[in-house]
Amino acid sequence: MSEGDLTQQGKNEKLREECRHQLFIRIWTSGVFTVDEVKALQQLMDSALVHKHDKAVCLGALLLHEELMPDMAILELMGKIASNYNTDDELRLRALTNVAICLLTHHEEYKHSPARYKAIVKLFWSNGMKTDFMIIVHQIAMTMRSRVLLERIQQDIMPLLQGENPFGNSMEQIKKASDQIQKLIKKGVDVQYASMYHEKKHPFFKQVENWFMPFSSEHTLTAEALRDEKFATKEMKIILNNPTICDSDRWSIFFKIREVNFPMELSGLSADEIDMVDMKPTPNSLIRNYIADLFRFYTIFAYHQEFNSLIFGPQKLPEATLSVTSSILSLPEAKLEMAARLFKTEFYEEAIALASEYIEDKDYALDANTLIGNIYLSGYKNPGKAQAYYEEALSIESSKDLKYKLAICYADQKDNERAAALFLELLEEEPENVQFMMETILSLVKSGAIEQAIPILYKLSYIDEANSGDFAHGQLARCFLIQDKLEEAWAAFEQIENRSLPNLLLGGKICWAMQDYKNAIDFFKYYLKKSPDKNKAMNSLFEEDPVMEKYHLGEFELQLIWDILHKD
């Protein structure tokens, strides 16, 4: 297949498409390329006369070739492609993604050829490719992490929103489904996969090469549609330019619009979507979208069993990823950055494994211990394990952030005295930091240091009345109640503006302590009425509470409250 075959733009578009198809099949089904064939492919990829669509299809064919892709000559070709294009060029990023996937899927083979492996690794050390590699691995990790969630969306959530009669479902079900999807979107899950799954049955996707075809106004199909005024709308430009939608999904949307023969309604789009008309894709979004297209190809295409889909299998992130990452990102800073990315993707074990290499390194122990502490605290929700890493990090260098996190660990483990001591240290450094004041107050109250807490409460209510007034007055009321200063407790309670559930419960307790049983019952009844979970709210009234025990809330009184509340 010559360069001339691919540059005949004019007379017969069908011939051009056939040339592209034959080239794809030629690369995909060939044996190992000869030196001359590799040179010819290099010339084709370098030529300014060959359209980027054809080059993108060539890259897709190379990725699918299980024997050809790992070949050193082809990988070097990928590296040259990556070096010849601008940082944010789509072809450059596709070539790099192919190399990264090859490294991950053929890791075991490369172990037996250290020289070749080292040469491949070097591909990522020029032109900022190291950063690109981190983005690629992070996105692959996110895609693999998403797979189980995507299956759940398809089975449980999408039927509620896309069934024959979605309005037959209760609004509560639909809202719950929508909320679940929004949470997944915030986590970076590819939720569009579930909604676009069935749209990939269009004949366009029966030709393998079309799965790797960029969606643009330069393609014959889109150019023809845009000549029709009905489709040459701002909405169509949104489909063309939206950097949050991968190419195969944009093709699906395009064919759906053509099928129903009407343009998208502007009123159905949000302001953010309309603004995307002028947004330019970033390297991150281009990598994400290419991997999303590959994921769709391997998991949806009818003959995907023929291809090596290991990289998108349902297993955990392969161990090879850590080894490959360590080889490419040989600098500690790069490994720790990759560990941080894995942490954000919820690959906690893998992130800890990378960061653990440096917990005793004198130059990087601070960052490594802090990161692992963060993973245990906010990832695993295990303050006990996080505590040890934060303490080690603090022994290296003291910082407000580390003190705060360590204090949170103490507080979560009910070690309120040590938590209060650290919060007081932080408060000395920043006397008017509202967050430090609130955490200090809670720890002091829980540790029984009421006298220390009260001056801070007064100060808090003075400097941040608008935002923290209710918190300060509520805690003051509780402190005075514990101290038997019932009038002061009630006076503080009356200044609370927001009668939230905890405050209603507090009001009832103060009234009970003052032997104003009628108002106490009224508070308890209103608390129960506002509670979304009535049984849980009822049980909370009778949980052990030193305040209630102090004011002789015995079995008779408890039964009386129970009977009164149950009648309502």
Side-chain angles (χ1 to χ4, degrees), residues 7 37 103 379 442 481 510:
T7 56
E37 285 176 317
L103 276 169
L442 288 173
L481 181 58
I510 294 172

Side-chain angles (χ1 to χ4, degrees), residues 140-193:
I140 290 172
M142 187 69 251
T143 300
M144 293 170 68
R145 173 68 76 192
S146 298
R147 183 163 189 167
V148 174
L149 297 172
L150 291 171
E151 289 172 358
R152 184 166 65 82
I153 291 174
Q154 280 186 274
Q155 294 171 6
D156 303 332
I157 299 176
M158 294 311 296
L160 291 173
L161 302 177
Q162 294 186 331
E164 293 182 5
N165 180 21
F167 298 103
N169 300 304
S170 70
M171 287 305 296
E172 187 177 345
Q173 285 177 306
I174 293 173
K175 185 179 184 304
K176 185 177 179 182
S178 298
D179 289 345
Q180 285 179 296
I181 287 177
Q182 288 303 314
K183 286 179 182 177
L184 294 173
I185 289 173
K186 287 180 180 178
K187 286 185 176 182
V189 175
D190 179 12
V191 297
Q192 291 166 344
Y193 173 90

Side-chain angles (χ1 to χ4, degrees), residues 47-289:
S47 174
L49 298 176
V50 179
H51 198 281
K52 76 170 189 176
H53 290 174
D54 304 313
K55 294 179 181 179
V57 164
C58 287
L59 290 175
L62 287 169
L63 179 63
L64 297 186
H65 199 307
E66 294 183 20
E67 295 179 5
L68 185 60
M69 182 64 196
D71 185 82
M72 192 63 218
I74 299 300
L75 288 170
E76 286 178 348
L77 170 61
M78 295 285 179
K80 289 177 182 176
I81 293 170
S83 300
N84 290 344
Y85 288 92
N86 294 329
T87 304
D88 58 351
D89 189 275
E90 185 173 9
L91 288 175
R92 172 185 181 274
L93 296 169
R94 286 190 178 206
L96 282 178
T97 302
N98 284 3
V99 177
I101 289 175
C102 186
L103 276 169
L104 295 174
T105 52
H106 297 280
H107 175 68
E108 291 298 323
E109 300 169 33
Y110 292 136
K111 276 183 179 178
H112 305 295
S113 180
R116 183 168 64 159
Y117 186 78
K118 188 175 181 180
I120 299 168
V121 166
K122 283 184 178 179
L123 292 175
F124 286 94
W125 278 93
S126 60
N127 300 324
M129 294 182 191
K130 185 172 61 176
T131 300
D132 295 320
F133 177 80
M134 284 192 280
I135 296 172
I136 291 165
V137 174
H138 179 250
Q139 190 56 47
I140 290 172
M142 187 69 251
T143 300
M144 293 170 68
R145 173 68 76 192
S146 298
R147 183 163 189 167
V148 174
L149 297 172
L150 291 171
E151 289 172 358
R152 184 166 65 82
I153 291 174
Q154 280 186 274
Q155 294 171 6
D156 303 332
I157 299 176
M158 294 311 296
L160 291 173
L161 302 177
Q162 294 186 331
E164 293 182 5
N165 180 21
F167 298 103
N169 300 304
S170 70
M171 287 305 296
E172 187 177 345
Q173 285 177 306
I174 293 173
K175 185 179 184 304
K176 185 177 179 182
S178 298
D179 289 345
Q180 285 179 296
I181 287 177
Q182 288 303 314
K183 286 179 182 177
L184 294 173
I185 289 173
K186 287 180 180 178
K187 286 185 176 182
V189 175
D190 179 12
V191 297
Q192 291 166 344
Y193 173 90
S195 59
M196 291 292 174
Y197 185 91
H198 297 290
E199 302 300 330
K200 298 298 185 286
K201 294 178 181 178
H202 191 278
F204 177 81
F205 295 108
K206 289 184 178 179
Q207 284 197 203
V208 187
E209 66 268 20
N210 285 339
W211 285 87
F212 303 93
M213 179 65 66
F215 184 89
S216 77
S217 57
E218 298 172 19
H219 193 279
T220 312
L221 292 172
T222 52
E224 179 186 341
L226 289 170
R227 284 194 290 268
D228 186 337
E229 290 184 4
K230 186 163 55 175
F231 292 95
T233 60
K234 198 172 188 179
E235 291 81 359
M236 181 61 76
K237 290 181 181 178
I238 290 173
I239 302 173
L240 287 168
N241 300 329
N242 191 332
T244 67
I245 305 175
C246 64
D247 287 309
S248 64
D249 283 358
R250 282 191 275 182
W251 280 115
S252 294
I253 297 170
F254 171 76
F255 290 125
K256 193 68 176 177
I257 293 173
R258 294 296 301 271
E259 180 184 319
V260 297
N261 199 31
F262 64 83
M264 295 174 65
E265 291 294 333
L266 185 64
S267 58
L269 299 169
S270 68
D272 288 342
E273 287 172 317
I274 292 170
D275 287 341
M276 284 176 185
V277 172
D278 299 320
M279 285 180 65
K280 292 183 178 180
T282 63
N284 206 331
S285 68
L286 289 169
I287 289 171
R288 181 185 65 237
N289 290 340

